[in-house]
Amino acid sequence: MMRKSRKNKIMAGSMALVMAVSMAGVSCWHNMSAAEVKAANEDVETLKKAASEALGDTDTKTDGVYKDETVYVKADAAGKVTDTTVSEWLKNPGSGALEDATGLKDIKNVKGDKTFTGKENGGVTWDAKGNDIYYQGRAEESLPVDITITYKLDGKKISAKKLEGKSGKLEIHIDYKNHSRQTVKVDGKDVEMYTPFTMVTALLLPTDQYKNVTVDSGKIVSDADKDIVLGLGFPGLTENLNLQDVEVEIPESVTITADVKKVSVGTTITVVSADLLDKFGLNDVNDFDSFSDSIDELSDAASQLKDGSRTLAYGVNTLNSKTGDLKSGVNELADGVNAYAGGVSQLAQGSSEVAAGAQKLKDGATQAQQGIHDAKTGADALVAGYDNQSTGAVMAANALSSNLSALSQKLGSGSVSVQLTDAQKAEISAAANAMAQAAAQNITDDMFTTMGTTRDAYIQSLAGAFVPALTEKITAVAQNAASTTSSAIKGSVDQLAGVAQKLAGGVGELRNGTASLQAGLGRLSDGSTGLVNGTADLYDGAAALQQGAAALNEKSSLLITGTSKLKDGSSQMGTGVSQLADGAGTLADGMSEFKADGIDKLTEVFKGDIEGVTSRINAMMTLGQNYRSFGGIQDGMDGSTKFIIETEAAE
């Protein structure tokens, strides 16, 4: 928790410095906006303001006299210095005279009427009386930094003057040089280090002349008419941090490219400061414990990432080798689905036939039930006919037997006359009518309707047929027996009476059999209801089966389409997995290279000589803090300086 509260000071220090500047991190530029692009006569002031704001405002760091110095440098279009003017602002919190040390020539007060007197050692004393002092002078010394601007049009070098009015692919290269180098102590050893100057160059490019503008180290602020390009450089910083052998790019130059048409070369403004890096908080770098732990974690993570990428490559290769099996399986699945769909189609067709058959069975069962019902009704009527006390077949057969027995008794008392009496004829008619009634009991009314007659007519007709037959038979018997005794005739009648008696017994048995048939038909009628209900359920089930099979057949087409897509997708997946395998191998190789050339080297730099890095940062920051003035400064006086280098426009 304590380490986190220190905000990982190395990340806010050396690592923040290295990463921020290597990525051209100019977060302080957020105050810059396109609205600050001025009219043509204000271009130089606009560029000065843009470059100055990129470096941030100068802060007064003491309650005593503070010297705020600005060095104005005029240079030609290539960056060669032609004039240097130094403007000094003495921020005076005291009263009375104010002493200052300076090496400037032609000093003059530029604000107010305060005068100064020169000193033998080159210093001046101002009659300030508690006021701030603003003065300027001319410097003859060489600048601690300089810039060189070169141009290439379509890949060929060209001067700014000759570039005027040309069109093509333009490259502007701004090279920064740091000449302020001193020997300092780093861990007890003498080391040469550069004053940590930060340099920002601002260019104003008209958008009707410059298209597709890019900058490799900096930022572009645009409006509809002009682009302001801000380039950033840290000359000497790589050597200060001893990062020459580490692949970390800290910019010491700026390259701008654009497509140009009838181009003009305008003014550039470069602002230089030695205290910008101090804003990164590098003076707090005094504890590398947390970063050392982070480096260990980073190295471990890189190793795990390297191993993981190899494992990934192995797994993807395995997957790649199995895609053939997958494709074969998908093809087999597709064949199976096609066969299944064919079966479903046949099932749908068969289920339709089953449903049609079930419908016929249902209708047949209903008809059979009606037939059984009608047969039972007939059996009921037949039994009733047998049992009828006046016209029943049983009663008629018994009457015939009784009549023949009576005839036998009469014959036993005398001879038989060949001619039948009216009484005998009446008895024969009654017997014939009884036999006709018994025969008609087996016939239903519907059958009489089919025959085109009625029950009474049928009985009358049948009785009419029975009477002559019986009369003829009896008469023949009588004639044959005319010469015989009545006892002989009686024997024949007795024999006929026995037959009639058997007939009566057979009719009784026929009646009982009919009654049994009636009972069976009753049971069959009762069972037919279950049959009808069962066939109805069978039909409903067959109909449901038909609907389900039809729906299944319809859905099987979707299944065929899906498996077809799956088949195509498996082929595409095979291609993709093959590419993935290639990519995984490349990733594994790249991770190995990244660990070896990146993480391992970074670990070597920050773990191998971690205290040395700290000492270098501290020494460098001390150099920046000590660079308080270019024109000279009084001992004990605090101050800061910035350079504004203006290159002229090409004529």
Side-chain angles (χ1 to χ4, degrees):
M1 192 68 181
M2 179 63 71
R3 290 179 178 177
K4 288 184 179 180
S5 67
R6 295 171 182 167
K7 298 182 294 184
N8 283 333
K9 292 183 178 180
I10 183 60
M11 299 305 292
S14 63
M15 208 51 192
L17 171 64
V18 173
M19 298 307 293
V21 301
S22 67
M23 296 173 64
V26 285
S27 59
C28 53
W29 296 2
H30 65 277
N31 293 325
M32 187 61 212
S33 67
E36 293 169 332
V37 179
K38 307 298 183 180
N41 59 349
E42 298 178 342
D43 286 351
V44 173
E45 292 304 318
T46 298
L47 294 178
K48 287 180 181 179
K49 184 176 181 181
S52 296
E53 287 189 355
L55 291 177
D57 297 330
T58 300
D59 298 327
T60 301
K61 301 180 181 180
T62 179
D63 294 334
V65 178
Y66 188 87
K67 188 172 190 177
D68 190 343
E69 179 181 84
T70 303
V71 182
Y72 295 97
V73 181
K74 295 285 188 179
D76 63 16
K80 184 178 180 179
V81 177
T82 58
D83 182 70
T84 302
T85 300
V86 180
S87 178
E88 308 283 16
W89 175 14
L90 300 179
K91 299 178 182 180
N92 182 20
S95 60
L98 181 60
E99 292 187 358
D100 186 23
T102 181
L104 302 179
K105 307 295 184 183
D106 304 328
I107 296 174
K108 60 180 179 180
N109 191 340
V110 294
K111 187 177 182 180
D113 55 3
K114 303 303 179 183
T115 60
F116 69 93
T117 56
K119 296 167 56 177
E120 292 183 359
N121 60 0
V124 293
T125 300
W126 290 91
D127 185 18
K129 297 181 180 179
N131 296 310
D132 288 358
I133 300 297
Y134 302 84
Y135 71 92
Q136 285 184 351
R138 184 171 50 82
E140 297 179 347
E141 295 182 10
S142 298
L143 298 178
V145 294
D146 61 36
I147 65 171
T148 302
I149 304 178
T150 56
Y151 301 88
K152 285 184 180 181
L153 184 65
D154 296 329
K156 296 181 180 180
K157 287 187 177 182
I158 188 172
S159 66
K161 186 174 182 180
K162 292 182 179 181
L163 179 61
E164 282 285 313
K166 297 292 193 302
S167 301
K169 185 70 174 181
L170 178 63
E171 178 183 301
I172 305 172
H173 185 75
I174 305 171
D175 190 46
Y176 301 119
K177 292 295 182 183
N178 190 340
H179 304 293
S180 179
R181 189 166 181 164
Q182 301 178 46
T183 300
V184 296
K185 291 289 186 181
V186 177
D187 293 334
K189 298 179 181 179
D190 290 335
V191 176
E192 287 191 345
M193 299 187 73
Y194 292 96
T195 301
F197 287 112
T198 301
M199 305 182 69
V200 175
T201 299
L203 298 80
L204 195 150
L205 307 179
T207 55
D208 60 344
Q209 300 178 21
Y210 292 80
K211 304 290 186 184
N212 303 319
V213 179
T214 67
V215 58
D216 64 348
S217 175
K219 182 178 180 180
I220 301 173
V221 182
S222 303
D223 72 357
D225 299 323
K226 296 179 178 67
D227 289 337
I228 291 182
V229 180
L230 297 173
L232 175 68
F234 301 86
L237 185 57
T238 299
E239 293 184 33
N240 282 356
L241 297 177
N242 196 25
L243 298 177
Q244 297 92 321
D245 297 330
V246 179
E247 293 182 5
V248 177
E249 295 183 2
I250 299 177
E252 297 191 1
S253 64
V254 175
T255 299
I256 302 165
T257 63
D259 296 321
V260 297
K261 182 177 181 181
K262 295 182 180 180
V263 69
S264 62
V265 180
T267 297
T268 71
I269 297 294
T270 299
V271 178
V272 186
S273 174
D275 64 354
L276 179 63
L277 294 181
D278 193 39
K279 301 183 189 308
F280 283 109
L282 302 185
N283 57 321
D284 292 332
V285 178
N286 53 19
D287 183 357
F288 280 86
D289 289 343
S290 59
F291 183 64
S292 178
D293 294 341
S294 298
I295 286 293
D296 290 336
E297 294 173 3
L298 180 63
S299 180
D300 292 342
S303 296
Q304 294 176 11
L305 193 57
K306 173 186 173 183
D307 295 340
S309 64
R310 284 297 177 192
T311 302
L312 172 63
Y314 175 77
V316 171
N317 286 331
T318 301
L319 175 62
N320 189 32
S321 66
K322 297 299 182 182
T323 53
D325 296 339
L326 174 63
K327 290 172 63 177
S328 298
V330 170
N331 290 336
E332 292 178 3
L333 174 63
D335 294 340
V337 167
N338 290 331
Y340 161 77
V344 169
S345 177
Q346 294 177 357
L347 174 63
Q349 182 178 357
S351 65
S352 297
E353 297 174 357
V354 169
Q359 177 68 53
K360 293 180 179 180
L361 181 61
K362 175 185 175 184
D363 295 341
T366 301
Q367 294 175 0
Q369 183 187 38
Q370 184 62 43
I372 292 170
H373 177 72
D374 292 343
K376 181 179 183 300
T377 301
D380 291 343
L382 185 59
V383 171
Y386 279 126
D387 293 341
N388 190 286
Q389 296 298 317
S390 60
T391 61
V394 174
M395 182 62 67
N398 290 331
L400 178 61
S401 177
S402 297
N403 290 333
L404 289 175
S405 296
L407 180 61
S408 175
Q409 291 176 358
K410 289 180 181 181
L411 290 174
S413 60
S415 61
V416 178
S417 177
V418 176
Q419 296 295 322
L420 298 178
T421 64
D422 291 337
Q424 291 174 329
K425 290 179 181 180
E427 291 177 357
I428 292 172
S429 294
N433 187 62
M435 292 174 64
Q437 288 282 355
Q441 293 298 325
N442 296 321
I443 302 173
T444 65
D445 291 339
D446 291 338
M447 294 177 66
F448 285 122
T449 301
T450 302
M451 291 186 293
T453 186
T454 64
R455 181 181 296 278
D456 292 340
Y458 179 80
I459 293 172
Q460 184 177 359
S461 175
L462 188 61
F466 284 161
V467 168
L470 291 173
T471 301
E472 182 181 355
K473 182 67 176 173
I474 294 172
T475 302
V477 170
Q479 289 176 348
N480 290 333
S483 59
T484 62
T485 62
S486 60
S487 60
I489 296 172
K490 179 179 181 300
S492 297
V493 172
D494 289 341
Q495 185 179 4
L496 184 61
V499 172
Q501 187 177 6
K502 291 180 180 180
L503 175 63
V507 169
E509 293 178 357
L510 181 61
R511 182 265 173 202
N512 294 333
T514 303
S516 298
L517 175 62
Q518 177 192 31
L521 287 173
R523 291 191 296 271
L524 187 59
S525 177
D526 295 339
S528 68
T529 301
L531 175 63
V532 170
N533 293 336
T535 55
D537 292 341
L538 177 62
Y539 170 74
D540 293 340
L545 173 63
Q546 180 188 15
Q547 293 177 356
L552 184 61
N553 187 37
E554 181 180 356
K555 297 300 182 182
S556 66
S557 62
L558 299 177
L559 182 60
I560 292 175
T561 302
T563 54
S564 178
K565 291 181 179 179
L566 177 62
K567 184 177 180 181
D568 295 339
S570 66
S571 297
Q572 295 175 359
M573 187 189 75
T575 301
V577 169
S578 178
Q579 295 175 352
L580 177 61
D582 294 339
T586 302
L587 172 65
D589 295 339
M591 283 307 307
S592 297
E593 183 178 352
F594 169 69
K595 182 178 184 301
D597 297 340
I599 300 301
D600 289 348
K601 286 187 177 180
L602 185 64
T603 303
E604 180 182 351
V605 170
F606 287 98
K607 290 288 287 180
D609 189 16
I610 200 73
E611 296 300 330
V613 174
T614 307
S615 300
R616 281 181 171 273
I617 292 175
N618 290 334
M620 179 182 66
M621 298 312 301
T622 299
L623 284 176
Q625 293 165 2
N626 289 342
Y627 196 89
R628 296 172 294 157
S629 175
F630 171 68
I633 191 169
Q634 186 76 12
D635 289 341
M637 184 184 295
D638 201 359
S640 64
T641 184
K642 66 180 176 181
F643 298 83
I644 299 179
I645 304 173
E646 177 183 342
T647 64
E648 63 184 5
E651 297 293 340

